């Protein structure tokens, strides 16, 4: 057995919802105007970061002639038109429903904003309503975004188990798709399952506890959770 897990925290973009392609298309449409290419090498560096942090990093990487605020505004206009149509990633619905049926506490820790999250969940409200504890990169309590541990520590506090946060969080399992998110969760002393996009280079990242091709490959019993029947 890999561990004795009692609580679950999910990332959202690229993990539960297929939104990363939407971000990529919208970003490329903007940088096209300056003859730039938004490569996966660059995308990997900013995945999971809050909008301001990601925009600042992207402008630096591509030497774009705009402010982070300008980039955030333009990008938000484009993605807000796409988010209501996003689909679930394979295995997401089965896993969330299974954990809910067995009363496993669940939370979300997303570097995105709450406004964007509400658009993304429009088609999937029945599922996301099963996860009551929400923390976003836009929350004022999150002083530093992923890869810093703030967002996962704040999410864990919502389980009502603050006394353990500075010592041992190995009872919490985090699901992530981004290298920054993996680093964030590991820095919070949690266990991590990574489900990366196949285009992410995982050879030079901080290694999670487990890497899966898809959430469909997750076996709850390996982590001390109720097994699929």
């Amino acid at each position: 057995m890999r561990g004795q897990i009692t609580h679950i925290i999910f990332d959202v973009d690229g993990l539960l919802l297929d939104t990363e392609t939407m971000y990529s298309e919208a970003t490329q449409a903007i940088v096209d105007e300056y003859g730039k290419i938004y490569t996966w090498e660059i995308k990997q560096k900013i995945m999971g970061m809050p909008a301001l942090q990601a925009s600042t990093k992207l402008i630096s990487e591509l030497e774009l002639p705009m402010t982070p605020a300008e980039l955030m505004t333009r990008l938000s206009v484009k993605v807000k038109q796409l988010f209501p149509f996003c689909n679930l990633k394979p295995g997401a619905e089965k896993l969330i429903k299974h954990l809910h049926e067995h009363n496993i506490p669940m939370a979300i820790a997303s570097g995105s904003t709450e406004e964007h999250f509400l658009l993304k969940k429009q088609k999937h409200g029945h599922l996301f309503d099963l996860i009551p504890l929400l923390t976003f990169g836009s929350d004022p309590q999150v002083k530093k975004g992923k890869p810093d541990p703030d967002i996962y520590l704040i999410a864990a506090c919502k389980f009502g188990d603050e006394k353990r946060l500075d010592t041992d969080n190995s009872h919490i399992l985090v699901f992530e798709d981004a290298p920054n998110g993996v680093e964030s969760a590991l820095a919070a002393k949690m266990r991590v399952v990574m489900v990366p996009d196949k285009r992410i280079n995982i050879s030079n990242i901080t290694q999670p506890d487990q890497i899966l091709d898809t959430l469909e490959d997750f076996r709850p019993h390996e982590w001390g959770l109720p097994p699929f029947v």
Side-chain angles (χ1 to χ4, degrees):
M1 186 156 45
R2 296 177 179 272
Q4 192 62 50
I5 298 302
T6 59
H7 296 67
I8 301 289
I9 304 180
F10 291 106
D11 175 49
V12 176
D13 293 298
L15 187 279
L16 297 178
L17 291 174
D18 190 9
T19 51
E20 287 298 347
T21 300
M22 295 176 174
Y23 278 114
S24 294
E25 291 176 355
T27 303
Q28 187 58 54
I30 293 171
V31 304
D32 268 342
E33 300 174 20
Y34 307 98
K36 305 291 186 177
I37 299 176
Y38 182 45
T39 66
W40 264 91
E41 181 182 1
I42 296 173
K43 182 179 178 69
Q44 180 170 326
K45 294 178 182 179
I46 67 175
M47 287 175 70
M49 289 181 175
L52 178 59
Q53 192 175 341
S55 295
T56 302
K57 180 71 171 175
L58 181 59
I59 288 170
S60 174
E61 289 283 338
L62 293 181
E63 299 180 340
L64 299 173
M66 63 177 71
T67 66
E70 290 171 334
L71 178 56
M72 287 168 58
T73 298
R74 294 186 60 185
L75 187 58
S76 181
V77 169
K78 291 182 179 295
V79 294
K80 282 163 72 171
Q81 298 172 351
L82 302 173
F83 285 156
F85 306 101
C86 68
N87 295 315
L88 291 168
K89 296 286 282 186
E93 184 163 12
K94 177 183 178 180
L95 179 56
I96 291 171
K97 286 184 174 179
H98 174 75
L99 296 171
H100 176 72
E101 288 169 1
H102 291 277
N103 299 310
I104 304 300
M106 293 181 285
I108 278 174
S110 170
S112 181
T113 65
E114 183 174 9
E115 178 190 13
H116 284 179
F117 174 73
L118 292 175
L119 291 172
K120 296 167 190 172
K121 65 171 275 191
Q122 280 187 13
K123 287 203 308 182
H124 316 289
H126 67 288
L127 189 64
F128 283 98
D129 287 346
L130 303 180
I131 309 176
L133 306 176
L134 309 176
T135 305
F136 303 102
S138 57
D139 291 357
Q141 308 99 301
V142 180
K143 303 303 181 185
K144 294 183 178 179
K146 301 174 185 178
D148 286 279
D150 291 20
I151 193 167
Y152 279 112
L153 292 174
I154 291 166
C157 285
K158 295 178 181 180
F159 289 133
D161 199 16
E162 296 182 44
K163 64 181 181 298
R164 296 182 63 175
L165 291 184
D166 293 328
T167 53
D168 179 22
N169 290 322
S170 62
H171 63 297
I172 299 175
L173 182 61
V174 170
F175 287 86
E176 264 285 356
D177 71 305
N180 285 322
V182 170
E183 288 190 35
S184 175
L186 290 175
K189 302 176 184 177
M190 298 173 186
R191 308 296 300 276
V192 186
V193 171
M194 186 183 193
V195 190
D197 188 287
K198 292 186 181 350
R199 290 165 289 190
I200 289 180
N201 179 7
I202 61 173
S203 62
N204 59 349
I205 68 170
T206 304
Q207 290 300 301
D209 295 283
Q210 186 178 31
I211 298 177
L212 302 175
D213 290 333
T214 160
L215 286 174
E216 293 177 314
D217 297 327
F218 181 68
R219 300 294 178 260
H221 67 275
E222 295 181 359
W223 294 91
L225 294 164
F228 287 134
V229 178

